[in-house]
Amino acid sequence: MPTTASASLNPDLIDTGTPPIPEAQGWARAYGGARGPLIDLSQAVPGAPPPPALLEKLAIAATEPGNTRYGGITGDASLREAYAAEISRIYGASFAPTEVAITSGCNQAYVVTMMALARAGDNVLLPTPWYFNHEMTLTMLGVEARPLPCAPEAGFVPDAATAEALIDERTRAIVLVTPNNPTGAVYTPETIAAFAALCAKRGIWLVLDETYRDFLPADVAKPHEVFATTSWQDSVIGLYSFSKAYAIPGWRLGAITAGEPALAQIGKVLDCVQISPVRAGQAAVTWGIDGIRDWRERNRAEINARADLFRQAMAPLNGWRVLSAGAYFAYVAHPFEGVKAAEVARRLVADCGVLALPGPYFGPGQENHLRIAIANVAADRIEGLRERLTGFSL
């Protein structure tokens, strides 16, 4: 009998790397517990649940029959209004609710934004090391993820002049993540302003992912001045996640800030991929923006203290170098020259019960590095790293 040819899948999707965190979690499952409970520093997840009052608001909202119905494509008006007021306070600028869309997490915010800005054959500049989901999204869309190298000696902060040299007729956007995933680097307002000016000049978009904005050091008065001092609506799109600051990653809520013409086009994509975000979570977060503000400020202080504690824990360890640390992350150079980062990470789990992610998960040229998610565990477990890593060798 003649055989039927197999249906083919999208080649761009096949060329997209497999999500890397499950691989690392597989190494962790093989850990036998000889050094005590696993210290999981892999995926960026809040180390503690949200305050009970926020969970109570969710429970109440979940019983409201109206919240079982479809909501607005770009989110419920109440949360869009509350978030517009919140970012107006943060940036010292005036935002309209019509410049805000609520999404099912910041990853979705990024996906729908990239679908609105670029098509197959275009390119988008991503500073390296990059957040792997950003690169994966572009690859499956047939869009080139063009690396913008960020040197350790520059604190992993990208340079606008270097970026400009990489722009060509197919460049549609530059993506910045600050505070950064994976390095923890915090970009200065001057750096962000330089990129905003570059994008406006070259007629491309600056996509500013500020998922970790709530974890800037307390002495930072404002993340940047772009929204307050420029006509940003024509060339800047902001992305945000409620997951980390509100400790609700399972609720899947994020936000896009964009000019109304751009948001109208993004709305077409949102209608196809989400129809509307989960409504009970939106109701709880609408209350939580003001209702748990004090809790969020205490959480910010605690997470910033963990970055300092991590540096102290690593300082006595010969050969290990903390290249950058801030917000949720630290980026570390391991001391084993010529050994692949994945092997270092795998052996760290097996021998020490410490799970980190290999640098190559975050782009080319990262074989000597590991990413540490320092917000995942309590302070006492960060202090235990020194004991676990003392004497570790390959």
Side-chain angles (χ1 to χ4, degrees), residues 17-385:
T18 301
I21 286 180
E23 178 184 32
Q25 291 172 336
W27 302 333
R29 285 192 291 273
Y31 171 59
R35 298 293 299 274
L38 178 74
I39 300 178
D40 187 350
L41 304 172
S42 58
Q43 191 172 20
V45 294
L54 188 61
L55 295 175
E56 290 168 7
K57 292 294 182 181
L58 177 67
I60 293 169
T63 67
E64 293 288 340
N67 286 334
T68 66
R69 302 181 64 83
Y70 287 129
I73 293 169
T74 53
D76 287 351
S78 57
L79 182 51
R80 294 172 73 196
E81 291 167 4
Y83 184 68
E86 174 75 343
I87 57 178
S88 296
R89 181 190 65 81
I90 290 170
Y91 295 106
S94 179
F95 293 87
T98 50
E99 295 172 325
V100 169
I102 304 303
T103 61
S104 298
C106 193
N107 260 18
Q108 187 193 70
Y110 177 82
V111 171
V112 299
T113 296
M114 289 300 111
M115 290 178 70
L117 301 187
R119 59 183 177 180
D122 291 339
N123 68 72
V124 171
L125 272 57
L126 297 183
T128 56
W130 55 42
Y131 173 45
F132 46 76
N133 281 156
H134 284 177
E135 183 273 336
M136 290 170 65
T137 295
L138 295 177
T139 300
M140 67 179 65
L141 293 175
V143 176
E144 176 194 355
R146 183 163 291 181
L148 170 58
C150 300
E153 54 270 23
F156 294 106
V157 175
D159 174 67
T162 302
E164 184 163 22
L166 296 172
I167 295 171
D168 61 22
E169 69 280 357
R170 290 194 174 273
T171 304
R172 297 293 176 259
I174 301 174
V175 177
L176 299 184
V177 183
T178 179
N180 187 257
N181 178 6
T183 67
V186 176
Y187 301 168
T188 65
E190 293 76 17
T191 294
I192 298 169
F195 274 92
L198 169 62
C199 290
K201 180 180 74 171
R202 297 299 297 266
I204 63 175
W205 290 91
L206 173 62
V207 178
L208 193 55
D209 183 334
E210 296 185 275
T211 291
Y212 301 94
R213 177 183 66 210
D214 301 86
F215 302 99
L216 288 166
D219 59 355
V220 175
K222 190 183 300 184
H224 55 81
E225 298 280 351
V226 167
F227 291 130
T229 62
T230 71
S231 300
W232 62 271
Q233 289 91 342
D234 296 327
S235 58
V236 179
I237 294 176
L239 309 181
Y240 177 72
S241 171
F242 294 98
S243 296
K244 306 305 190 296
Y246 295 74
I248 54 167
W251 295 11
R252 307 312 306 134
L253 287 172
I256 299 172
T257 304
E260 291 183 27
L263 208 56
Q265 300 306 313
I266 291 170
K268 296 177 185 178
V269 189
L270 286 171
D271 187 41
C272 292
V273 300
Q274 77 170 7
I275 300 179
S276 63
V278 175
R279 302 194 68 197
Q282 289 187 77
V285 168
T286 299
W287 172 84
I289 286 176
D290 283 326
I292 65 167
R293 188 178 301 279
D294 290 345
W295 181 89
R296 290 191 287 125
E297 283 301 313
R298 291 194 298 274
N299 193 37
R300 178 218 290 255
E302 181 177 341
I303 297 302
N304 275 282
R306 288 184 195 177
D308 294 335
L309 189 62
F310 178 77
R311 289 183 183 275
Q312 295 168 22
M314 297 296 290
L317 299 173
N318 291 333
W320 292 89
R321 291 183 296 128
V322 179
L323 303 175
S324 181
Y328 255 57
F329 303 105
Y331 210 62
V332 175
H334 68 74
F336 306 107
E337 188 68 32
V339 179
K340 290 186 178 297
E343 176 62 14
V344 176
R346 189 186 64 79
R347 287 287 301 277
L348 273 175
V349 178
D351 297 356
C352 304
V354 175
L355 180 61
L357 295 185
Y361 284 1
F362 305 96
Q366 306 302 314
E367 202 64 78
N368 294 329
H369 301 140
L370 301 175
R371 191 200 75 173
I372 309 291
I374 54 179
N376 290 23
V377 296
D380 60 333
R381 306 206 72 197
I382 291 177
E383 290 177 329
L385 281 174

